[in-house]
Amino acid sequence: MAEPTTGRRELLDIRNLGVSFETATGPVQALRNAQFAIPRGRTFALVGESGSGKSVTAQAIMGLLPANGRITGGTIEFFGKRDGGAVDIARLSPSSKAMRALRGDRIAMIFQEPMSSLSPVHTVGNQVTEAMRIHTRASRAEAADAAMALFHRVGFRDPKAMLRTYPFELSGGMRQRAMIAMALICDPVLLIADEPTTALDVTTQAQILHLIRELQDERDMAVLLITHDLGIVNTMADEIAVMFRGEIMESGTRDQLLRDPRHPYLRALMRAVPRFHMMPGERLVPLREIRLPAVAEAPASPGAPRDVLSVEGISKSFYPRAAPWARKRQAIPAVTDVGFTLKAGRTLGIVGESGSGKTTVARIVTRALAPDAGRIRFDDGSGLTDITDLDPGRLKAFRRWIQYVFQDPHSSLDPRMTVEQILTEPLTVHRDGTPAQRRERAAELIELVGLNRRHLKRYPHSFSGGQRQRIGMARALALSPSVIVCDEPTSALDVSVQAQILNLLRDLQARLGLSYLFVSHNLAVVDYMADDIMVMCRGMVVERAPRARLFSAPVHPYTKVLIAAVPDLDIDRPLDVAAAGAVLRPGDWPEPFRIGPEPARSAMVEVAPDHFVRYGDAAIGAVA
Amino acid sequence: MTRYFLRRFATMAVTLLAISVLIFVVIKLPPGDFLTMRIQELMAEGDSAAAAKADFLRRAYGLDLPGWQQYLSWIGLWPRAGAYSGLLQGNFGWSFEYDLPVIDVVGDALGATLIVNLAALVFIHLLAIPLAVFTAVRRRGIVAEAITFLAYLGLATPSFLLALILLFYLNRWFGISIGGLVDPDLADAPFSLEKLGSITVHLIVPIVVIALASTAAMIRRMKANLLDELHKPYAVTARAKGLGPTRALLKYPFRMVLNPFVADIGNMLPGLISGSVLVSLVLSLPTVGPILVQALRMQDQYLAGFILLFVAVLTVVGMLIADLVLALIDPRIRFGK
């Protein structure tokens, strides 16, 4: 056939690639003159924010563009066919036999959402062996053997059982491992990983990234890594291309780009990412800063700030649905013995992975949930009062003092209400002022978050994600609360927008004297925002300390792992992926932190001023 | 799985009991009953012998008892010596109007109803599912557009009108006899291949007429659901493995959209039965629909009650079957997720 290509350095060579989408308002050019080459056996990262065209590039390579998209020009030369020949993918029909022979066999892909990318009604074994059964003449038994070997390699303890397991029986990280096994079953030469860890916890993310890197070395496989996270790029990539609005802004090796970014977009992006070891007082620089109208900041009150919120020993269990005649219902503890104080004008960060109970704590503090045990006290200016058991009338009056900013700016705004209706609703509920006064207040609020009065008559769908989140913040501010609970307020946003929102939150805090309870899974973001940080794991607070102290002198092994697992932008501090894992269960923690099975006993011990760490039963026994 | 089945079965029994109460209450709501009216009629005519017989029936079937006792004896939970023993004992009651046991009045009609409606059900699925899949895969083709258009037409056509038109032309072109479920010449003949053939031919028009609207609705619903699923990540994953478009669609999105349609099987049967009354009248099909209408009008309580309960049993059994099939095809239901 064609010239032998195995000696070439490149595996995939893209030149002048253009992709356009046919839309109701005419064609939209999603990709313009894209040009890069992926070397064999190396990792090539495509970095960019949403809408930058990085996923479209992957779809073009896979021949999986949506029905309204088409390649308008350029070539995608692939030098990895089974017979060693080359082929121009841009010239192949997406549904042709030749293209299908590449898909899943020579080029495989893993996706962002490991749950929705696997069919819930087919077994993992069925889905993993499928590609092998299509592309090779392997029998059912041979394919099953190959799948079990891979299951073992990607870290499943019982490969045989995996064949008959359904995806919904697995955790997110396990599902992504199954996805990886599925992609690798035909031994592809190119693996396209589209945001493979975005839906996962940091520690799980570190493990999956580690796994991908190991597998890549073993199989001499090239990886096209698509991500928005510069930290992951720093950890994984050999070569990088940065995309913005359908064009490649800058490309080169990792060292070139991260040590010496030339293009203004990449520089701006790097300044917008929160990272560890930022200078004290250093501010993120978003691509577009929101300037608030100049007003004097709230005067700093003399002396130490008072406590606005004091939480002592709250616990909460959930009971899964059981038959009504079941004698005893199995309690699932969500939060165990959590206590903290929040000072006026300060920010307390709550960090934890999914299932750590951080959102449950936020919801208990706002009294959206009632705790099973413990005490919550709140100071509305007249001293700390117990709000654990308020009657409905006083509870409603209390609610104006603590407001909530939600994670998802899309589902947290009613699409059928105008911005003005959204902003005046809290005032109407609490019967504040006349309708005219409420509308005036809405106008003030919208300007406070850097939007315009003209926006009041519009509906949420006409705003971007970042603007919607600002509307959500304006709504939270409507009743002039003293505490705002921010539950992952930026995790659904792009990096540059995240910087904008975080800065806005800090500015509003300085101006209005707000106290924040800032919940996040992202340690770097919490590091940027919080004065004190509380680390949660399995419903317990494992460590609580002032920000600087927590990062400079973490004591608890879980805290250490969490810090180590964050992919950092510092090129001289690549992620120590091997260290992650191992200490995710309280029973696996080393002494004196180990917390055994029921009846477990543990307690917070003050190891330094304001620095508390949870020690396990053995240690407390020794102290007592 | 056994536990799941047993639980469903228990639920089904309770549901049926509740439905039977409702049916009885509704039938008894109008004042008086068939026999009191008949006795008054006969007394007025001076036919005391017939009136005496009616009075005997009244007592035998307990129409003189309070309502709740009547109900219990109808259901068969309260058998009285020498009297009517009730449904649970296998005695379906007496039709006062026909002066025959209920089972003799409706036995054949029930058979015919079941045959016509089950055949319609099979026809709907056999036609609608392939067409829906086809239009979803080739949604921009001429043929798909034509099918979609016909489906619109099918939704909008009144079924009795279609019945008349079809009867006329099928008779004219193919010489198929009009109406009934079997050729009049063969009606009393013993069962034979010829009779089976005649029944099959006679089934064509009623089935097409009864099934058309449901088929059209099902094509449109399934196509819309399939199109929603086509862009889900798991469907993209399937294509990323190199599966061909048709196979990828049948294995993944099609499996995912099946659930509501399986769940619908239970609801479709009673809908078809009540919906086919009009068609049965037009086509003079010996189904149970027309008999039910008459029985309700005449307050022939055991006849009406039996037919209604029969439909309820069909529904509940249909739902039980649907639940079991759902558990078979969807592991999430099996595992209680």
Side-chain angles (χ1 to χ4, degrees), chain A residues 62 64 100 103-104 111 116-122 126-127 130 134-135 166 168-169 182, chain B residues 140 233-234 236-237 239-245 251-252 255-256 330-332 334-335 337:
Chain A
M62 287 294 277
L64 286 177
R100 265 158 50 197
R103 268 205 297 262
F111 299 88
S116 50
S117 302
L118 289 166
S119 157
V121 296
H122 296 88
N126 179 331
Q127 297 182 66
E130 188 174 31
I134 303 169
H135 293 290
Y166 287 96
F168 55 79
E169 299 176 77
M182 190 162 90
Chain B
R140 292 192 214 290
Y234 69 85
V236 179
T237 309
R239 283 188 294 142
K241 284 182 199 167
L243 277 175
K251 183 168 177 186
Y252 295 103
R255 257 304 271 285
M256 298 295 282
D330 194 334
R332 287 170 296 182
R334 209 156 59 227
F335 285 71
K337 284 259 169 180

Side-chain angles (χ1 to χ4, degrees), chain A residues 149-159 162 174 177 211:
Chain A
L150 260 179
F151 286 147
H152 179 72
R153 178 61 197 89
V154 299
F156 286 116
R157 286 201 192 104
D158 186 353
M162 280 306 296
M174 286 294 153
R177 285 169 197 266
L211 176 65

Side-chain angles (χ1 to χ4, degrees), chain A residues 271-287:
Chain A
R271 280 196 307 257
V273 184
R275 53 206 180 275
F276 294 144
H277 318 299
M278 286 174 74
M279 297 298 127
E282 186 185 346
R283 212 175 140 86
L284 293 177
V285 187
L287 296 189

Side-chain angles (χ1 to χ4, degrees), chain A residues 403-405 413 419 422-424 426-427 441-451 456 467-481 484 504-505 508:
Chain A
Q403 291 289 308
Y404 212 97
V405 175
L413 299 177
V419 172
I422 289 170
L423 295 185
T424 51
L427 301 168
R441 174 77 178 140
E444 275 173 34
L445 288 166
I446 199 83
E447 283 173 355
L448 194 58
V449 295
L451 290 169
L456 282 174
Q467 287 173 326
R468 282 187 223 210
Q469 198 57 303
R470 277 143 74 187
I471 295 169
M473 285 160 61
R475 174 178 58 187
L477 291 170
L479 292 165
S480 311
I484 294 188
L504 180 62
L505 280 168
L508 288 171

Side-chain angles (χ1 to χ4, degrees), chain B residues 41 78-79 84 92 113 134 160 174 182 186 192 200 211 215 225-226 257 286 293 300 315 324 333:
Chain B
E41 232 171 80
W78 192 30
Y84 169 49
F92 299 132
T113 309
F134 180 82
F160 64 91
F174 303 109
V182 65
L186 295 166
S192 65
T200 314
T215 308
N225 288 2
L226 273 176
V257 301
V293 174
D300 196 349
T315 314
L324 292 180
I333 294 172

